[in-house]
């Protein structure tokens, strides 16, 4: 291992990034090159790391998650100091905590030999606080590793910040010099990326310190089947939907400059209504509103369709099922629905924004290991990344968000190493609605936030 440098495992989701990273840690530990490891991961993934070590590590290791209050996190970092020279010490923390006062200094003092940046696309924004903190920590570490199936989510320039952490000699220290080398600028004040140049050269440099594996190359995973179940709104729901749709068009046409934010806000309202809910006030999104106080139920068309699926697959079929939804109100309505139709001897688990990060690993483990836990309901932004749900081979999308990378990640929760059965994905889609427009955009691998301004009318 070459000190001061890094390497990238750019494996497609489900190809064993975590297992490979653990094997690298074990080899480095046995060589005497690494004693302290720092893993930075999305909040929902942090609790998974200790369980992965328990399952795969064939070497002495102590892994502590830095979750909970600031005091608890600092105590856990301090507790790792006692295991030095006895076993590999691993601290796992979420990205949002890295740059916080007190935590950042404690991580510097921990002085990791190896820093693992899991789902490294989380530091793609070059001037974000967590990205800058990661760059500083990376400059201190002897060895660095990034793990990602989607290192470039929407723009090729996303790679600079990740490689600034990994090895600053590849693309240099200046983001703007990098952008000038590979991006074509235009748009408002010539500050928007409108194209790219020498992408072959960029990829060649990227892969100079990276190993890329696709599912087709790595594993003989089962086939995937995609189905759409169309849902018909009630007359009341359709009339309300059409009113909101027409009002939205009028406001956008007469409201001056159209921005991505204003268009997406209108689309959110329509998407919520397609799911059976309406926002009570002027707030635009209940994605992270755990009490659901801003929404009220406007219809049950999608829930009725989902009820049939749960009955067929879980109650009658005796199979486990994963359901993803975008909004908190939807997640909670699905849980209530499940409680009514699933036998009391069976259990449902859920993962959404307010579920404590320290509890998420045990939720996944329960679904994977307990035969009586038959339903997993997840908010797609919270549970769509970094966890393994291969106990099920069927996944239902009650609703999706507008980002292709998030959707692609969520597909791999059931379709990954360990899955033996054909994977089935069922989209619940309200016909002639924003649901169909979202599906079309995702099939084109588009991020609506990037395209919606120029073509906003086609989404209404």
């Amino acid at each position: 291992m070459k000190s001061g440098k890094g390497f990238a495992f750019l494996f497609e989701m489900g190809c064993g990034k975590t297992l490979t990273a653990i094997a690298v840690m074990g080899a480095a530990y046995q060589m005497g090159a690494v004693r302290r490891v720092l893993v930075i991961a999305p909040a929902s993934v942090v609790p998974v790391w200790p369980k992965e070590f328990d399952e795969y590590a064939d070497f002495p290791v102590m892994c502590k998650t830095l979750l909970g209050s600031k005091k608890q996190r600092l105590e856990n970092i301090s507790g790792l100091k006692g295991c030095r020279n006895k076993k590999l010490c691993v601290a796992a923390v979420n990205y949002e905590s890295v740059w916080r006062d007190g935590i950042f200094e404690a991580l510097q003092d921990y002085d990791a030999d190896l820093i693992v940046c899991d789902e490294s696309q989380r530091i793609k924004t070059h001037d974000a606080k967590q990205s800058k903190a990661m760059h500083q920590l990376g400059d201190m570490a002897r060895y660095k590793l990034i793990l990602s199936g989607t290192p470039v989510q929407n723009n090729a320039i996303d790679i600079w910040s990740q490689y600034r952490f990994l090895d600053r000699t590849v693309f240099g220290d200046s983001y703007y010099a990098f952008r000038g080398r590979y991006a074509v600028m235009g748009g408002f004040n010539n500050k928007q990326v409108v194209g790219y140049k020498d992408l072959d050269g960029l990829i060649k440099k990227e892969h100079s310190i990276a190993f890329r594996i696709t599912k087709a190359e790595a594993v003989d995973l089962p086939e995937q089947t995609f189905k759409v179940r169309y849902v018909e709104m009630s007359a009341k729901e359709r009339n309300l939907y059409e009113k909101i749709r027409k009002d939205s068009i009028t406001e956008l046409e007469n409201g001056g400059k159209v921005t991505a934010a204003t268009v997406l806000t209108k689309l959110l309202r329509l998407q919520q209504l397609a799911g059976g809910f309406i926002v009570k006030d002027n707030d635009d999104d209940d994605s992270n509103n755990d009490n659901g106080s801003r929404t009220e139920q406007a219809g049950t068309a999608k829930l009725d369709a989902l009820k049939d699926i749960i009955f067929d697959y879980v109650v009658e079929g005796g199979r486990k099922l994963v359901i993803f939804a975008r909004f908190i109100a939807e997640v909670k309505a699905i849980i209530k629905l499940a409680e009514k139709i699933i036998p009391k001897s069976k259990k449902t688990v859920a993962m959404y924004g307010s579920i404590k990060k320290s509890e998420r690993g045990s939720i996944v483990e329960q679904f994977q290991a307990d035969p009586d836990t038959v339903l997993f309901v997840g908010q797609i932004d919270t549970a769509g990344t970094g966890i393994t749900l291969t106990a099920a081979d069927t996944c239902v999308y009650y609703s999706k968000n507008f980002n292709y990378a998030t959707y692609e990640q969520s597909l791999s929760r059931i379709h990954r190493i360990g899955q033996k059965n054909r994977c089935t994905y069922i989209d619940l889609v309200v016909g002639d609605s924003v649901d169909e427009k979202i599906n079309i955009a995702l099939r084109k691998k588009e991020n609506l936030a990037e395209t919606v301004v120029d073509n906003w009318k086609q989404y209404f």
Side-chain angles (χ1 to χ4, degrees):
M1 298 180 69
K2 192 173 181 181
S3 181
K5 302 297 183 181
F7 199 77
F9 289 152
L10 307 181
F11 295 9
E12 281 191 354
M13 283 78 74
C15 288
K17 293 188 293 290
T18 302
L19 173 58
T20 308
I22 289 174
V24 168
M25 293 180 214
Y29 169 75
Q30 290 168 348
M31 291 166 56
V34 169
R35 286 289 180 268
R36 296 176 303 282
V37 175
L38 174 62
V39 175
I40 299 96
S44 61
V45 181
V46 170
V48 177
W49 272 93
K51 301 181 186 305
E52 299 282 12
F53 277 109
D54 288 343
E55 184 170 355
Y56 297 122
D58 189 23
F59 52 90
V61 60
M62 177 185 290
C63 180
K64 287 186 175 290
T65 57
L66 309 185
L67 300 171
S69 67
K70 180 178 178 180
K71 180 181 177 182
Q72 290 172 319
R73 284 178 282 174
L74 292 175
E75 287 176 350
N76 280 346
I77 296 176
S78 179
L80 283 169
K81 294 179 180 179
C83 80
R84 294 182 182 182
N85 299 321
K86 298 177 182 178
K87 55 183 69 175
L88 183 69
C89 310
V90 182
V93 65
N94 61 305
Y95 284 104
E96 296 80 4
S97 296
V98 168
W99 59 274
R100 304 291 181 181
D101 288 342
I103 303 299
F104 178 70
E105 290 76 12
L107 295 177
Q108 286 182 308
D109 184 60
Y110 178 64
D111 192 22
D113 300 306
L114 168 66
I115 298 181
V116 179
C117 189
D118 190 8
E119 304 295 349
S120 63
Q121 67 272 13
R122 295 297 182 96
I123 60 167
K124 64 186 176 68
T125 305
H126 72 100
D127 55 355
K129 289 181 178 179
Q130 63 191 32
S131 298
K132 290 181 177 180
M134 288 295 297
H135 298 163
Q136 291 182 58
L137 290 172
D139 288 344
M140 293 177 57
R142 268 68 74 196
Y143 310 107
K144 289 158 283 188
L145 184 63
I146 66 172
L147 313 177
S148 181
T150 53
V152 179
Q153 285 195 308
N154 301 315
N155 299 302
I157 57 174
D158 289 351
I159 202 68
W160 180 85
S161 181
Q162 298 171 69
Y163 270 59
R164 169 61 184 82
F165 160 78
L166 191 62
D167 185 343
R168 59 200 299 179
T169 67
V170 176
F171 291 117
D173 285 338
S174 171
Y175 165 77
Y176 295 101
F178 170 83
R179 191 180 70 177
R181 173 70 180 83
Y182 295 106
V184 178
M185 306 304 293
F188 183 68
N189 286 338
N190 205 42
K191 291 184 177 180
Q192 295 176 310
V193 176
V194 296
Y196 295 99
K197 52 191 177 183
D198 192 22
L199 281 180
D200 288 342
L202 185 151
I203 293 170
K204 184 176 180 180
K205 282 192 171 186
E206 176 191 5
H207 287 182
S208 68
I209 57 167
F211 188 41
R212 174 68 170 166
I213 292 182
T214 65
K215 285 182 178 178
E217 296 168 332
V219 290
D220 186 19
L221 286 174
E223 293 183 5
Q224 295 169 290
T225 300
F226 295 86
K227 299 180 178 181
V228 176
R229 290 206 181 183
Y230 284 97
V231 177
E232 185 174 347
M233 288 179 171
S234 67
K236 177 183 176 182
E237 289 173 281
R238 177 57 69 180
N239 289 337
L240 185 55
Y241 184 94
E242 286 301 311
K243 180 180 185 306
I244 294 176
R245 185 183 69 84
K246 291 175 182 178
D247 288 348
S248 297
I249 293 173
T250 300
E251 289 180 31
L252 289 167
E253 288 180 332
N254 301 323
K257 182 181 177 181
V258 175
T259 66
T262 56
V263 177
L264 292 175
T265 295
K266 303 301 181 185
L267 291 178
L268 277 169
R269 292 295 185 87
L270 291 175
Q271 189 183 20
Q272 287 170 316
L273 185 54
F277 296 88
I278 187 169
V279 180
K280 291 180 180 179
D281 53 32
N282 292 324
D283 290 320
D284 61 353
D285 188 358
D286 80 334
S287 297
N288 298 306
N289 179 36
D290 289 346
N291 60 26
S293 61
R294 298 205 306 252
T295 59
E296 62 183 17
Q297 194 159 348
T300 63
K302 260 195 186 179
L303 285 171
D304 291 341
L306 181 63
K307 179 180 179 180
D308 292 339
I309 294 172
I310 295 174
F311 186 81
D312 290 342
Y313 278 81
V314 179
V315 179
E316 289 285 304
R319 299 161 65 182
K320 294 197 177 195
L321 187 67
V322 172
I323 301 172
F324 283 125
R326 180 174 188 179
F327 303 105
I328 290 292
E330 295 173 341
V331 171
K332 295 198 170 183
I334 293 167
I335 294 169
K336 288 182 180 179
L337 173 66
E339 290 173 347
K340 293 178 181 177
I341 60 177
I342 293 178
K344 295 188 184 302
S345 60
K346 304 299 181 182
K347 296 183 281 276
T348 297
V349 292
M351 186 183 295
Y352 48 92
S354 66
I355 298 295
K356 293 180 180 178
K357 300 178 181 68
S358 58
E359 296 175 358
R360 295 176 184 179
S362 59
I363 290 172
V364 172
E365 184 178 22
Q366 178 181 338
F367 182 73
Q368 286 287 94
D370 178 17
D372 290 326
T373 301
V374 295
L375 188 64
F376 179 98
V377 185
Q379 189 178 14
I380 193 166
D381 283 325
T382 302
T385 302
I387 61 175
T388 297
L389 301 172
T390 50
D393 56 29
T394 303
C395 176
V396 179
Y397 287 92
Y398 188 91
S399 58
K400 303 170 183 173
N401 69 12
F402 299 151
N403 185 287
Y404 174 75
T406 302
Y407 170 65
E408 184 186 30
Q409 287 266 5
S410 68
L411 292 173
S412 293
R413 297 316 100 211
I414 65 171
H415 190 250
R416 58 197 301 109
I417 292 174
Q419 181 59 264
K420 304 300 182 185
N421 303 320
R422 177 192 293 267
C423 290
T424 301
Y425 304 91
I426 303 173
D427 286 339
L428 290 180
V429 173
V430 171
D432 192 22
S433 79
V434 67
D435 281 353
E436 290 187 318
K437 311 299 173 59
I438 292 171
N439 272 5
I440 291 170
L442 292 177
R443 281 200 296 270
K444 294 178 180 178
K445 300 185 179 182
E446 291 179 350
N447 178 0
L448 266 67
E450 302 289 329
T451 62
V452 74
V453 173
D454 294 332
N455 305 297
W456 68 266
K457 287 188 178 181
Q458 74 182 34
Y459 296 106
F460 291 88

